Amino acid sequence: MRELQIEYTEAELFGDCSEIEDTEQELEAKFIKIRSKHLYHRLNSERMLEDILPLKVKNGKCYHIISGGNIDSFSYLMWILRMQRIKELLCSTWCIAKVDIAEYSRQIDLGRIGKLDFYVGEILPGSFPEEYKELGEVCKKSGGRIAVFRNHSKVMAGRGEKFDFAIESSANINTNPRTEQTTVTIGGAIAQFYFEFYGGIVSFDKEWR
């Protein structure tokens, strides 16, 4: 696998919460810088997948990838979206960043993702209330739902116009420069397995039951 070295600290990626005395203009400038670095990493991540994965797949095929933090979880979904529109998608993650929520929203607006259901860990509404609210709004506009439970699983499963699939990964749906392993399986049986399991989840949040 071709390696791409991108060196930056977690503080550069997510910001330093101790800098609470910054002006609004300074905070805005920092956000733009962080967002640009995030998008730069994602673009390179997607380009690497283009080099190592095919754009034609067959039912029953499995692809196993391990990377040294070069490929983020969302890039696998973008690889699927290059081949087909996804009619129904479920995503399970412990947490998720705002820039990733915005990308889901954009893909729905473009008509590339239909119904979206999200299953998140109990950390999200308590520790990241803005992200939780935004993600709920994105799911609602697609006709889907968001469910909160004691969750640490990382799965994306979908029913597409050409094929069904499941993406199973150690990574949350965010850009995290750490070694992660991912398996992509093409087929209806594994997608149905996950749709049945997550469809039975009862959310802690009564609004979404």
Side-chain angles (χ1 to χ4, degrees):
M1 182 185 298
R2 180 166 59 87
E3 289 290 332
L4 176 68
Q5 297 298 324
I6 303 175
E7 297 183 0
Y8 43 82
T9 66
E10 288 188 354
E12 288 178 310
L13 272 175
F14 304 113
D16 186 351
C17 295
S18 65
E19 298 177 352
I20 59 175
E21 295 181 357
D22 288 338
T23 66
E24 184 177 347
Q25 291 80 5
E26 287 173 335
L27 289 173
E28 182 179 1
K30 288 182 181 179
F31 175 78
I32 292 170
K33 180 181 178 182
I34 294 166
R35 177 179 170 84
S36 297
K37 191 165 291 187
H38 178 103
L39 294 178
Y40 174 79
H41 180 80
R42 172 174 288 166
L43 288 171
N44 281 283
S45 172
E46 293 176 15
R47 188 178 302 144
M48 293 186 79
L49 280 186
E50 288 179 358
D51 290 343
I52 63 177
L53 292 178
L55 283 177
K56 289 186 178 180
V57 298
K58 294 181 180 179
N59 280 332
K61 283 283 186 180
C62 295
Y63 303 90
H64 298 260
I65 302 97
I66 189 164
S67 71
N70 303 350
I71 301 175
D72 66 76
S73 185
F74 197 90
S75 295
Y76 294 96
L77 182 62
M78 291 301 295
W79 171 62
I80 296 288
L81 287 171
R82 286 190 178 88
M83 292 182 276
Q84 64 171 355
R85 177 182 176 273
I86 299 173
K87 297 181 289 185
E88 187 175 1
L89 177 68
L90 74 80
C91 299
S92 175
T93 186
W94 188 58
C95 60
I96 186 170
K98 279 191 174 185
V99 288
D100 299 298
I101 296 170
E103 187 59 30
Y104 275 100
S105 181
R106 190 175 79 90
Q107 295 299 326
I108 291 169
D109 292 341
L110 289 172
R112 301 177 75 192
I113 295 177
K115 181 184 176 186
L116 175 65
D117 294 323
F118 245 94
Y119 300 89
V120 300
E122 69 278 15
I123 189 176
L124 199 65
S127 299
F128 304 97
E130 291 184 8
E131 285 83 352
Y132 179 64
K133 180 181 178 182
E134 290 181 16
L135 185 58
E137 291 171 352
V138 171
C139 291
K140 186 176 293 185
K141 78 173 181 179
S142 76
R145 70 161 179 155
I146 182 172
V148 182
F149 67 114
R150 292 185 61 81
N151 182 37
H152 202 250
S153 61
K154 293 95 176 181
V155 174
M156 287 183 275
R159 297 185 175 113
E161 291 183 333
K162 298 179 182 178
F163 57 86
D164 299 344
F165 64 91
I167 302 168
E168 303 160 293
S169 180
S170 64
N172 289 301
I173 303 174
N174 57 10
T175 299
N176 189 11
R178 289 177 171 82
T179 296
E180 306 280 8
Q181 95 281 347
T182 301
T183 300
V184 183
T185 305
I186 308 300
I190 191 166
Q192 182 63 23
F193 169 77
Y194 282 118
F195 273 100
E196 288 180 358
F197 174 79
Y198 287 105
I201 296 295
V202 178
S203 178
F204 291 169
D205 188 343
K206 294 180 180 180
E207 178 184 351
W208 293 96
R209 291 182 182 175

